Amino acid sequence: MKRIIIALILLVNIPLSAQIDKDESTPEETVEKFFAAFHAQDTVKLKNFAVEGTKLQSVSNDVEGNIKLSTDDYSNFLKSIASIPAEASFEEIIKEFRVEENGLLATVITPYSFYYNGKLSHCGVNSFQLVKFNDEWKVVYLIDTRIKECE
């Protein structure tokens, strides 16, 4: 009788633990949802993907070919997304996701091409640094490259 009760307890707990794991988001899913909100210009959702104080950086070449590193606050990023005119179209096409996860820390690398009003504007690579807070992945740092001459 003891064995039957133990077996029933184990069987009942298996679906519960599977459901708990299923509800947790992955770093890749978080970045995918980030881009869905980005394309929808949903700054409320975008704000929820990052922690207070998140920094964004971009690496590019200036007109003279010098390397330029620009830094901005996430709040300014949100303002820039909100200010894109309704008649403008933009799309960042993600080519792949490379994910390195280690406990509470994850890096998601996404090569991309960015189109503005149907024309290729630039391409490069995004590098998202995420931290897991209470089973939810949040962006703490984002850096990208911006290349004008894309293949």
Side-chain angles (χ1 to χ4, degrees):
M1 184 63 146
K2 262 186 192 176
R3 288 183 180 165
I4 293 173
I5 292 173
I6 292 172
L8 286 173
I9 290 171
L10 290 174
L11 286 174
V12 168
N13 284 331
I14 288 172
L16 289 176
S17 65
Q19 183 64 39
I20 289 168
D21 291 342
K22 198 173 187 180
D23 289 342
E24 292 181 15
S25 66
T26 66
E28 181 175 340
E29 289 169 337
T30 300
V31 172
E32 287 174 339
K33 290 175 184 176
F34 170 92
F35 279 110
F38 172 73
H39 291 124
Q41 289 181 267
D42 189 336
T43 56
V44 174
K45 282 185 182 176
L46 282 170
K47 184 177 181 181
N48 291 326
F49 286 109
V51 297
E52 184 77 28
T54 294
K55 294 285 184 206
L56 284 80
Q57 291 189 305
S58 288
V59 180
S60 61
N61 289 322
D62 64 17
V63 292
E64 297 164 351
N66 300 311
I67 296 173
K68 177 182 169 190
L69 176 66
S70 60
T71 303
D72 208 350
D73 291 322
Y74 196 74
S75 60
N76 290 335
F77 164 72
L78 295 175
K79 289 174 190 171
S80 70
I81 296 303
S83 69
I84 296 172
E87 63 275 3
S89 68
F90 64 97
E91 181 179 21
E92 188 156 332
I93 297 175
I94 304 302
K95 298 183 179 181
E96 69 176 298
F97 287 84
R98 289 181 241 147
V99 181
E100 181 69 35
E101 184 179 342
N102 189 339
L104 300 175
L105 181 65
T107 300
V108 179
I109 307 289
T110 60
Y112 73 90
S113 294
F114 186 83
Y115 292 83
Y116 190 77
N117 288 331
K119 294 182 182 176
L120 180 63
S121 168
H122 60 276
C123 60
V125 175
N126 299 308
S127 176
F128 289 84
Q129 303 300 309
L130 299 105
V131 173
K132 194 173 196 178
F133 295 96
N134 300 320
D135 296 328
E136 189 174 9
W137 290 100
K138 297 281 187 175
V139 176
V140 296
Y141 177 67
L142 173 57
I143 189 167
D144 65 51
T145 58
R146 296 184 185 182
I147 302 165
K148 290 288 185 185
E149 297 174 13
C150 306
E151 293 179 12

